[in-house]
Amino acid sequence: DKDDTVYVLDDAGRVLVYDSSGRLTKQWEMPEFAAGKPEGVWKLHDGRIAVADTHYHRVVLFNQDGSVSHKFGTQGTGPGQFVFPVTIAQDPSGFIYIGEYGDRQRIQKFTVDGEYVTEFGQHGSKDGEFQRPSGVACQDGLVYVVDAFNDRIQVFEDSGKFVRVIRLPEKSAPLEYPYDIRLDRNNQIYVIENKAARLTVIRLDGTIVGRYGRPGRGLNQFYQPWDLTILSDGRILVADTGNHRLVELTP
């Protein structure tokens, strides 16, 4: 968040809260997790923590002390329903975007109270379509979505209108199962690639700034990395899920 407090989900069904130095300050369990663990977490402008409770097909909002504020969503394919919501993000205006990889392969937009606004996307590989929209970032009225199985980043207006696909240079290695995305204040895009086990940093036009990491369990390696965030001083944290750790990188 803006204070560099870090919110982490783990395979024990917990929400873990760390300060910017990596010290664990609090933790709590999800209301239920026998059916599966959640995959998306976001600190809202009002201080609550929103979790995409993937296998329970809903969003759970927590207060700062870990108590449940409220929940919204049920299993289904209609407006405001979910099938495996996997990512959640809030834009500067306060709207919440939730990506799901079940029957509809779409992004849904809600008010902070869970009121349905609109949706965009469907299953497929054409422009504006998705195969697992697993990460969302919002900046300057645009919504950036990593389209994991299609190995690409798509850009939309916040109304849901398709804008473009960000294409890497032809001679560069393509994205391999990009799973999460962030933008920094300099409009650089940070993408964690699950299959390639690396972090890729690009400009808005697709030019590659740099790449880091390879598959493995040692130093400079990742194993099934799923997520990332950027702290205010530029440090990058990667959720190196298969290695059960957070990896801190400098720019």
Side-chain angles (χ1 to χ4, degrees):
D1 64 12
K2 60 183 179 60
D3 300 316
D4 287 340
T5 303
V6 179
Y7 299 84
V8 185
L9 302 176
D10 75 353
D11 280 341
R14 300 179 295 182
V15 180
L16 306 170
V17 186
Y18 295 88
D19 65 19
S20 61
S21 66
R23 181 178 65 92
L24 182 68
T25 60
K26 68 179 77 170
Q27 65 180 37
W28 62 84
E29 291 184 344
M30 294 295 297
E32 301 169 273
F33 51 84
K37 313 306 190 300
E39 293 192 39
V41 60
W42 195 271
K43 171 75 172 293
L44 301 177
H45 302 328
D46 63 14
R48 291 178 297 172
I49 296 92
V51 175
D53 199 3
T54 309
H55 299 273
Y56 289 89
H57 315 289
R58 65 189 179 189
V59 174
V60 180
L61 278 74
F62 294 97
N63 299 311
Q64 279 287 316
D65 63 1
S67 61
V68 174
S69 169
H70 73 282
K71 309 169 187 176
F72 67 88
T74 58
Q75 185 173 2
T77 58
Q81 295 184 310
F82 304 108
V83 180
F84 299 122
V86 68
T87 186
I88 185 167
Q90 189 176 35
D91 71 13
S93 298
F95 291 102
I96 296 173
Y97 298 80
I98 299 168
E100 56 187 301
Y101 66 79
D103 298 344
R104 293 296 300 275
Q105 302 280 336
R106 61 184 173 178
I107 302 290
Q108 293 192 73
K109 180 179 180 179
F110 297 86
T111 68
V112 71
D113 295 318
E115 180 183 349
Y116 173 85
V117 177
T118 190
E119 65 184 77
F120 52 96
Q122 62 182 8
H123 184 267
S125 57
K126 298 177 182 178
D127 289 350
E129 298 178 341
F130 302 117
Q131 293 191 74
R132 193 174 288 224
S134 56
V136 176
C138 305
Q139 193 154 299
D140 299 329
L142 296 174
V143 181
Y144 297 78
V145 182
V146 281
D147 185 11
F149 282 178
N150 287 323
D151 297 318
R152 64 185 180 181
I153 302 168
Q154 298 196 74
V155 186
F156 299 82
E157 295 179 358
D158 56 15
S159 64
K161 180 181 178 182
F162 172 79
V163 176
R164 65 189 177 101
V165 174
I166 296 179
R167 305 190 186 281
L168 274 58
E170 290 186 4
K171 295 183 179 180
S172 302
L175 296 173
E176 295 184 51
Y177 204 30
Y179 211 81
D180 198 33
I181 185 170
R182 292 289 188 276
L183 274 75
D184 68 11
R185 65 191 66 180
N186 298 315
N187 286 322
Q188 291 190 135
I189 300 172
Y190 295 70
V191 182
I192 197 68
E193 298 177 64
N194 181 270
K195 184 177 179 181
R198 67 187 171 202
L199 171 72
T200 294
V201 185
I202 63 176
R203 298 189 177 94
L204 295 180
D205 64 359
T207 303
I208 294 177
V209 176
R211 281 179 146 161
Y212 177 89
R214 55 190 174 87
R217 297 188 180 275
L219 192 65
N220 309 323
Q221 296 178 329
F222 300 119
Y223 187 71
Q224 297 291 335
W226 286 94
D227 211 330
L228 81 157
T229 196
I230 305 169
L231 302 183
S232 62
D233 61 6
R235 283 179 293 158
I236 304 137
L237 297 180
V238 176
D240 189 11
T241 303
N243 287 320
H244 304 283
R245 64 187 180 187
L246 296 181
V247 177
E248 178 184 305
L249 307 173
T250 63

